[in-house]
Amino acid sequence: MRSTLIAAVAVVLLCAPAALAHPERETFFPDGSVGSVPKYRTSAGQVLVVCKKDSAKRIRRTFKGSKRLRRLRDTRLRQLRRCRFRHIQAAVNAARSGAIVRVMPGVYREQPSRRAPEPDARCKDDYDAIGSSILESGVTGSGGGAKVANFEYQRKCPNAQNLIAIVGDGPDADRVCDSKCNLQIQGMGRRRRDVLISGRRTKLNVIRADRADGIYLKHFTVEFSDFNNIYVLETNGFRMEDITSRYSREYGFLSFSSDHGLYNRLEAFGSGDSGIYPGSGPEGHCKRYGIEIRRSNSHHNTIGYSGTAGNGVWAHHNEFHHNATGMTTDSFASGHPGMPQDCAKWEHNRIYSNNEDYFNDERDAYCSSTPADKRDPKVVCPTFQVPVGTGIGIFGGNGDIVRDNHIYDNWRDGLKLLFVPAAFRGEPEAGIDTSFDNTIARNKMGVRPDGARDPNGNDFWWDEEGRGNCWTGNTGPAGSEPSSNVVLGLPDCPGSSVFSPGIAAKTASQATCSTWDPYENPDPPGCDWFIRPQEPK
Amino acid sequence: MSTIISTAPPQTRAEALTRRAVFLSGVATLAVLAVFALTAFGGPARTGPLTWSGKAELFTHPTLPGDRILTGTLRNDGIHPLRVDIGDVRVLTSDGKAVPSNPVFLETFGKTLWAAGRGPQMVPDTELQRTGRITMLHPGEEVPLTIAWHSKDGTPARVDYGDGSLRVPG
């Protein structure tokens, strides 16, 4: 039986679908000492209008009723007369720095971009290799590095992987935006859904802003990417506002190695990984929070919010609910700048009912037996494993603050704090350097905002590893003490300066979940993450 | 009798046959004793270069009472570098039967860089090592190992890794 299993694994490895490596290319943080979140503008030296044949009809149909709406309708129809583009990418190509691109109501499928080949022979040499063959011990392994398209690939072949590419930097070595900086791309419909940008999973990314400092995206709906619906990379100054992202194969809104960013009033659902992903965040080391996420609603994703190396992120007044797991941040991956993760600050959020059962047998069977391009894109197929029924997971975080949130109705754990050794990001010489100085304070556990009791399975789970972690002022229903898996009780603030090595039985019960593979090992022995817990009484 | 255990050459063919029979029965007895030892005591603490470094722990999963988890740290006590692929790691019952299991060279949770179904055709060894699928150990180096199995599938007595095996602690 074992030999059969090994043979099957080998076959799967050999026949892995579309050998596209999606880990990030080598990236660098922009200079955080300069830059700012872009502000909304109503005028610019260059205003470009994009429309469809039926935009006027859509404007007349949706802007009707009140006097204010009729006035807006007239304004839109007047603006429509200046329409010169049928595709957003065409307007972006024509844009100079500082331009406003107004997108009139309609469905934008960006057909010319869809026709761009991937891979593109013009860019066949523009790849980085990630993961060298030199192992930790200095021994040469096999497998070499995996290819990932680099910046030159995006610059020279912008629509190979992206339906709409805003690539700001030139061929110089400075990694700073030179053209198409400070663009504002704005849907002009009455509602977000009136401007729909649809990828139909034909491209990895629907919108890519790459070294596109000052990019401002506003007021539309985006769907069906094969990787990210919106992807902001190495960009200093960005703003995503009033946008709905739905049914991305992996991520809804993703920023990476970027700074001075704002996620504002976003909705994300149907993502195979995370609705919102502020990864490789600014290295302000708790003195500065360079990315703000506010008033957003992320639900029915595998994870509502996640961020490997999600540093310097202030997330507040959001809702993360009805995902498999609500929020995570971690130090798992290699090749992500800013490791180990530190200084996320999560305040005044509602993190609740994260019990979506995306790992059950039926879903496993569908997702593993149906090729990605044949799946119903509205069915969430998890791309990574998470513990179903968990509100918050901090996996190898330092200096994170979880404060004044309502965390309830998560049937496994309200918050899970777990260390990750540095070897896991390819830096074994750093030893154990995570799960330090995290503060969990004044959260309402198992209680809805209206005060009604709605318990978590367990409020706090901790592997007891680390130093300086502390819990204070957290309360359960009717002011009761929150529950935890720590027999001797959770440490109060300030946390102990003495390093605690952790409990092997706790960490090992999580290690077993590492081997999850939806194709070959969907239910690993010794792992309970994929069994939705019973609703607690 | 004295001629049987003598180192002198046998004087007759009958004596030679007798000596051979005694020798073979001795070997058989030793083999039986070895099997008995493996059965009764889980065999020698180790064969091959790897050894448990410190205490390995065997416990029942806190929420899955039918699952057992073994976790500990392995050290290469040999004189040569050693590579072990996780596919070669098995747990065996005392009579040598493999128990389906879930081994990984990790002490806590970690995950791969590639999303499900996205990996390259040949995953780099660095990634395999980082995620606990292989280990490369110079003499004296250590690596964590965690293995889980369903108790209904058997009671492992040894962890076998191809080049040797270790006793599962009681």
Side-chain angles (χ1 to χ4, degrees):
Chain A
M1 182 172 170
R2 184 163 190 93
S3 58
T4 308
L5 179 67
I6 292 167
V9 169
V11 168
V12 165
L13 286 174
L14 288 171
C15 304
L20 296 167
H22 291 153
E24 307 290 346
R25 72 181 192 225
E26 188 180 11
T27 61
F28 301 86
F29 288 114
D31 180 358
S33 66
V34 297
S36 60
V37 174
K39 290 185 165 51
Y40 182 69
R41 292 171 292 138
T42 55
S43 62
Q46 185 189 28
V47 176
L48 305 169
V49 179
V50 191
C51 65
K52 291 293 180 188
K53 281 181 184 170
D54 61 353
S55 290
K57 192 169 136 190
R58 288 171 182 265
I59 289 168
R60 289 193 189 93
R61 193 169 66 211
T62 52
F63 289 94
K64 61 184 181 184
S66 69
K67 189 175 173 185
R68 186 185 72 85
L69 284 175
R70 291 200 303 275
R71 203 165 48 240
L72 271 174
R73 177 195 63 199
D74 295 341
T75 303
R76 291 290 177 274
L77 290 171
R78 208 165 42 247
Q79 290 168 332
L80 186 62
R81 287 188 214 126
R82 298 179 57 188
C83 175
R84 300 288 179 274
F85 303 95
R86 283 281 186 252
H87 305 288
I88 300 168
Q89 182 66 71
V92 167
N93 292 346
R96 300 185 298 272
S97 289
I100 292 176
V101 177
R102 291 184 174 142
V103 185
M104 290 295 161
V107 178
Y108 292 83
R109 297 202 167 88
E110 303 289 300
Q111 287 86 346
S113 297
R114 288 185 185 200
R115 289 194 287 271
E118 160 68 352
D120 192 321
R122 292 175 300 153
C123 301
K124 62 181 169 54
D125 298 324
D126 296 314
Y127 289 91
D128 291 338
I130 61 165
S132 75
S133 58
I134 305 301
L135 300 171
E136 287 164 13
S137 53
V139 176
T140 301
S142 61
K147 283 168 59 178
V148 61
N150 61 23
F151 176 77
E152 280 300 290
Y153 189 99
Q154 307 301 338
R155 189 181 68 78
K156 287 151 63 177
C157 299
N159 296 119
Q161 297 186 340
N162 315 292
L163 206 63
I164 298 167
I166 305 124
V167 180
D169 193 15
D172 52 54
D174 64 1
R175 297 191 297 269
V176 174
C177 189
D178 301 316
S179 64
K180 304 188 193 311
C181 318
N182 304 307
L183 294 194
Q184 178 173 305
I185 302 176
Q186 179 181 5
M188 303 303 286
R190 182 182 160 203
R191 300 153 304 195
R192 295 175 185 178
R193 67 172 185 260
D194 296 335
V195 172
L196 175 61
I197 307 172
S198 185
R200 288 203 171 171
R201 298 229 167 137
T202 53
K203 293 289 179 187
L204 287 177
N205 310 297
V206 176
I207 299 175
R208 179 193 197 98
D210 200 336
R211 300 183 188 170
D213 298 354
I215 185 74
Y216 191 149
L217 303 169
K218 185 178 170 72
H219 197 57
F220 54 80
T221 292
V222 57
E223 66 180 12
F224 297 155
S225 71
D226 194 43
F227 185 27
N228 306 303
N229 273 352
I230 298 182
Y231 189 14
V232 178
L233 191 60
E234 287 189 304
T235 289
N236 193 354
F238 69 91
R239 184 166 179 154
M240 297 182 276
E241 186 168 78
D242 191 22
I243 301 169
T244 295
S245 163
R246 61 193 192 194
Y247 308 123
S248 174
R249 184 172 166 196
E250 294 201 29
Y251 301 93
F253 301 93
L254 185 146
S255 60
F256 196 84
S257 296
S258 294
D259 203 339
H260 300 106
L262 175 61
Y263 296 61
N264 189 29
R265 298 199 318 273
L266 305 176
E267 182 182 22
F269 60 93
S271 310
D273 193 296
S274 316
I276 287 172
Y277 180 99
S280 279
E283 286 277 73
H285 299 303
C286 306
K287 295 184 180 71
R288 181 175 75 87
Y289 292 85
I291 292 179
E292 182 180 359
I293 299 173
R294 68 187 189 208
R295 301 189 191 288
S296 294
N297 179 14
S298 187
H299 59 94
H300 294 95
N301 310 283
T302 301
I303 315 175
Y305 162 124
S306 74
T308 297
N311 315 316
V313 179
W314 179 32
H316 62 100
H317 297 95
N318 303 287
E319 292 193 27
F320 301 104
H321 62 100
H322 293 94
N323 306 285
T325 290
M327 304 178 78
T328 68
T329 192
D330 69 79
S331 297
F332 284 137
S334 57
H336 284 46
M339 291 285 199
Q341 187 277 336
D342 71 356
C343 304
K345 184 166 64 172
W346 299 341
E347 298 177 309
H348 301 285
N349 301 289
R350 290 174 61 199
I351 302 131
Y352 62 97
S353 305
N354 291 294
N355 308 304
E356 290 305 302
D357 191 10
Y358 295 141
F359 296 88
N360 61 40
D361 290 347
E362 188 184 349
R363 187 65 59 97
D364 284 345
Y366 174 76
C367 295
S368 61
S369 65
T370 315
D373 58 349
K374 299 280 189 291
R375 292 177 194 152
D376 176 352
K378 295 183 180 178
V379 174
V380 172
C381 286
T383 52
F384 287 107
Q385 64 271 53
V386 295
V388 173
T390 303
I392 292 174
I394 298 176
F395 303 133
N398 295 328
D400 294 321
I401 296 170
V402 182
R403 190 162 58 195
D404 296 315
N405 302 284
H406 278 88
I407 306 171
Y408 58 94
D409 192 36
N410 304 290
W411 298 350
R412 183 183 306 276
D413 298 300
L415 183 147
K416 183 190 281 276
L417 181 61
L418 181 67
F419 96 105
V420 173
F424 220 87
R425 54 179 201 270
E427 299 173 21
E429 66 283 358
I432 293 173
D433 62 354
T434 69
S435 248
F436 292 173
D437 305 316
N438 297 292
T439 300
I440 295 102
R442 301 195 307 260
N443 298 287
K444 302 285 188 202
M445 307 300 294
V447 182
R448 295 181 182 200
D450 65 4
R453 180 179 179 277
D454 201 351
N456 301 303
N458 167 62
D459 289 321
F460 297 118
W461 190 103
W462 182 34
D463 62 5
E464 302 185 50
E465 193 275 352
R467 187 181 59 220
N469 300 301
C470 69
W471 285 255
T472 187
N474 302 289
T475 54
S480 62
E481 192 70 20
S483 55
S484 87
N485 71 332
V486 179
V487 174
L488 298 177
L490 295 160
D492 205 340
C493 292
S496 171
S497 59
V498 177
F499 175 76
S500 165
I503 307 293
K506 292 186 180 182
T507 57
S509 68
Q510 312 301 297
T512 50
C513 303
S514 307
T515 60
W516 173 84
D517 180 301
Y519 301 97
E520 288 304 314
N521 197 13
D523 295 299
C527 174
D528 64 357
W529 285 16
F530 314 120
I531 304 165
R532 179 163 62 178
Q534 293 286 310
E535 182 173 7
K537 298 262 180 358
Chain B
M1 187 70 180
S2 59
T3 57
I4 293 169
I5 58 170
S6 169
T7 55
Q11 299 299 308
T12 64
R13 177 174 168 75
E15 187 183 337
L17 289 172
T18 304
R19 282 193 194 182
R20 182 179 298 174
V22 168
F23 174 75
L24 289 174
S25 66
V27 169
T29 303
L30 284 173
V32 168
L33 285 173
V35 169
F36 175 75
L38 283 167
T39 307
F41 307 114
R46 72 178 236 225
T47 63
L50 292 181
T51 187
W52 293 116
S53 171
K55 187 180 163 207
E57 294 186 38
L58 175 64
F59 61 93
T60 300
H61 190 283
T63 65
L64 302 170
D67 285 7
R68 303 285 178 272
I69 300 176
L70 171 65
T71 190
T73 301
L74 300 173
R75 186 179 63 240
N76 181 2
D77 268 3
I79 56 171
H80 301 292
L82 177 70
R83 170 180 171 138
V84 183
D85 289 33
I86 207 67
D88 293 332
V89 177
R90 306 180 300 162
V91 286
L92 306 174
T93 60
S94 54
D95 56 357
K97 190 179 146 211
V99 176
S101 64
N102 180 28
V104 66
F105 292 117
L106 296 176
E107 68 212 286
T108 187
F109 174 73
K111 65 181 185 182
T112 178
L113 209 52
W114 284 281
R118 297 276 210 193
Q121 288 187 349
M122 193 164 183
V123 178
D125 274 355
T126 43
E127 180 70 359
L128 295 173
Q129 185 176 49
R130 196 181 68 80
T131 55
R133 269 61 169 184
I134 63 168
T135 187
M136 299 281 293
L137 295 174
H138 282 297
E141 287 187 335
E142 296 184 344
V143 68
L145 174 68
T146 300
I147 312 178
W149 61 87
H150 301 308
S151 59
K152 66 177 170 53
D153 291 335
T155 304
R158 303 193 67 78
V159 178
D160 185 286
Y161 55 93
D163 288 344
S165 69
L166 297 154
R167 188 188 297 159
V168 171

